[in-house]
Amino acid sequence: MLQTLCRTGGAVLKHSQRTVPVLWATQAQQRWVSSLPMNTVVLFVPQQESWVVERMGRFHRILEPGLNFLIPILDKIRYVQSLKEIVIDVPEQSAVSLDNVTLQIDGVLYLRILDPFKASYGVEDPEYAVTQLAQTTMRSELGKLTLDKVFRERETLNTNIVHSINQASDDWGIRCLRYEIKDIHVPPRVKESMQMQVEAERKKRATVLESEGHKEAAINVAEGRKQAQILASEGQKAEQINNAAGEANAVLAKAEAKAKAIRLLSEALAEQNGNAAASLSVAEQYVSAFSKLAKESNTILLPSNSGDISGMVTQAMAIYGSLAKQSSKKIERVTPEWVMEKSEDPAPPAQ
C-alpha cells in the first residue's frame, strides 16, 4: 500500500513540475514558474523551493525540501516560491534628466525571495511589483542627475536604485541584490552635440599638451644656458684664482730670491775688499747699460760726463757710502744700550 502511494506521488510530482509560461509585466516578457502540485499525501519538495500549504483555506505551514506528508482534502498547496536568485529584465522606458534630456534606458534586476510567506500573501505578484518599483525608482533617480553625471556616476545610480527598492520590498519578503543598467539611448541631436563636445575637448587637450611641450622645451633650453653660464663663470673664477695664486707665489719667490741676494750682497760688502767689488759691479752695469741704448731705442740720453767712467763709479760709491752711514745711525738710535753692551759681535764700522 505504501509503495503504491509513493509511486503515485512521484508520478504526480513529475507531472506537476512541467513548466508553463505565465505572462506578466508586458506581453514580450515571460517568466517560467512551476505549476501547483496536487496533494498526494506523500510529497517530495525539491531543493531551493518552498511550498506554502493552506489547511481549509488558511495558512498552515511551509514545506521544507525533502519528504513531507499532507492530509488529503484538508491541506492544499497554494503557492510555490523559488528561493534561487531571480533575474528580471526591466523593460526599456523613457526618463528625463535634470538638464531636460529625454533618455531611453533599460536594465536588469537581480532579486531573491527571503520570506515565502510575505512573498505569497504580501503582494499579488511580487516580481511584477518589484519591476514596476524599479522603473519608477530609476526615473526618479535619473531626474536628479544631469546627462554627464548619468554616464559618469552609473555605479552610484545603480546603488541608489537598489537601496530604494529594498526599502519598499521588505514587506514583500523580497531582497534586491543588485541592479544593472544595460543600455542608455540618447536622442540623435544630443548625441551629435556630445560628439562635438568630445572632439572639442580632445582638441583642447592636444593644444594644452603642445603648449606644455613648448614650455618645457623653452625651460630646458634656458636651464641649459644658465648652467653653461654658471659653469663658465666658475671656470673663469677658478682660472683667476689660480692665476692670482701663481702670481702671488711668483712674487713671494722673487721677493725671497731678492732678499737672499741682498743678504748675500750685504755679507759680501761687509767682507774685505767689498767696496772694490761693488765698484767693479757698478762699472760693469754702467757699460752694459750704455751698450744697450743703441739697440733698444732710437732716442739716447747721455750724461754730460759720459766718458768719465771712473768719476761715475766714484760718485755711485759715494752715494752708497752715505746711505750706509745713515742706516747705521738709525740702527744705533733704535737699538737699546743694554743690547749693544751684550752684543758679542759688533757691526764693523762703515768705510
Side-chain angles (χ1 to χ4, degrees):
M1 180 67 179
L2 182 60
Q3 292 180 356
T4 304
L5 291 175
C6 292
R7 291 176 182 176
T8 305
V12 173
L13 180 63
K14 291 180 180 179
H15 177 74
S16 64
Q17 288 187 350
R18 293 178 183 176
T19 56
V20 294
V22 178
L23 298 178
W24 62 281
T26 60
Q27 295 295 329
Q29 187 175 4
Q30 296 180 352
R31 167 126 175 97
W32 294 79
V33 296
S34 298
S35 62
L36 297 178
M38 296 177 59
N39 184 0
T40 57
V41 181
V42 180
L43 298 175
F44 299 93
V45 180
Q47 186 68 34
Q48 290 297 94
E49 280 192 9
S50 292
W51 293 1
V52 180
V53 178
E54 293 181 354
R55 177 168 292 181
M56 294 182 294
R58 186 176 182 180
F59 173 74
H60 176 57
R61 67 189 180 99
I62 298 175
L63 300 182
E64 300 294 334
L67 178 62
N68 293 273
F69 297 94
L70 296 179
I71 299 175
I73 301 174
L74 298 180
D75 295 337
K76 181 180 179 181
I77 300 173
R78 186 70 176 84
Y79 297 101
V80 175
Q81 301 292 350
S82 176
L83 302 181
K84 299 177 183 179
E85 185 173 347
I86 303 172
V87 182
I88 300 177
D89 188 10
V90 180
E92 185 178 10
Q93 62 176 338
S94 62
V96 181
S97 62
L98 185 61
D99 50 355
N100 297 324
V101 178
T102 303
L103 304 175
Q104 297 292 329
I105 187 169
D106 58 358
V108 180
L109 185 64
Y110 299 84
L111 54 87
R112 177 177 291 172
I113 297 176
L114 301 180
D115 191 345
F117 176 79
K118 291 183 178 180
S120 301
Y121 297 99
V123 64
E124 180 65 27
D125 191 340
E127 298 177 3
Y128 177 75
V130 171
T131 303
Q132 296 301 313
L133 181 60
Q135 289 181 334
T136 56
T137 305
M138 183 169 54
R139 282 195 295 266
S140 63
E141 291 295 332
L142 284 175
K144 300 176 183 178
L145 301 175
T146 59
L147 181 61
D148 295 335
K149 290 186 177 180
V150 169
F151 295 99
R152 188 165 54 248
E153 300 182 3
R154 196 166 180 170
E155 185 176 355
T156 304
L157 180 62
N158 294 337
T159 304
N160 293 338
I161 294 175
V162 171
H163 180 69
S164 301
I165 292 174
N166 287 331
Q167 286 182 344
S169 63
D170 288 339
D171 296 335
W172 304 338
I174 298 175
R175 185 70 176 175
C176 180
L177 302 179
R178 57 190 177 275
Y179 180 86
E180 299 291 339
I181 297 176
K182 290 198 303 182
D183 295 321
I184 300 177
H185 300 284
V186 185
R189 293 185 179 179
V190 177
K191 197 171 184 179
E192 292 177 1
S193 63
M194 291 175 62
Q195 187 67 26
M196 294 173 62
Q197 182 180 359
V198 171
E199 293 178 358
E201 187 68 23
R202 290 179 179 176
K203 291 180 180 178
K204 175 184 175 182
R205 291 180 183 177
T207 305
V208 171
L209 291 176
E210 185 177 0
S211 63
E212 289 181 354
H214 291 310
K215 176 182 176 182
E216 292 181 359
I219 291 174
N220 291 335
V221 172
E223 191 68 24
R225 292 178 179 175
K226 176 183 175 182
Q227 293 294 334
Q229 292 178 358
I230 291 173
L231 294 176
S233 63
E234 289 180 354
Q236 293 177 359
K237 177 182 176 182
E239 182 180 1
Q240 292 177 359
I241 291 173
N242 293 333
N243 293 335
E247 291 177 358
N249 293 332
V251 170
L252 290 177
K254 290 179 180 180
E256 290 178 357
K258 190 173 182 180
K260 187 175 180 181
I262 293 173
R263 192 180 300 111
L264 294 175
L265 182 60
S266 64
E267 291 177 357
L269 293 175
E271 294 179 356
Q272 188 176 4
N273 299 324
N275 292 332
S279 301
L280 179 60
S281 177
V282 170
E284 290 177 352
Q285 293 179 2
Y286 182 81
V287 174
S288 177
F290 271 96
S291 64
K292 292 181 180 180
L293 288 176
K295 296 179 181 180
E296 296 179 356
S297 175
N298 295 328
T299 304
I300 301 175
L301 298 178
L302 296 175
S304 59
N305 55 350
S306 59
D308 190 4
I309 298 176
S310 61
M312 293 292 296
V313 173
T314 302
Q315 185 179 359
M317 293 304 296
I319 295 171
Y320 169 75
S322 63
L323 293 175
K325 289 179 181 180
Q326 293 177 1
S327 61
S328 62
K329 289 180 180 180
K330 290 181 180 180
I331 293 173
E332 290 177 359
R333 282 198 297 267
V334 173
T335 305
E337 294 179 357
W338 61 275
V339 176
M340 296 297 293
E341 292 177 356
K342 292 182 179 181
S343 178
E344 295 180 359
D345 298 328
Q351 296 179 1

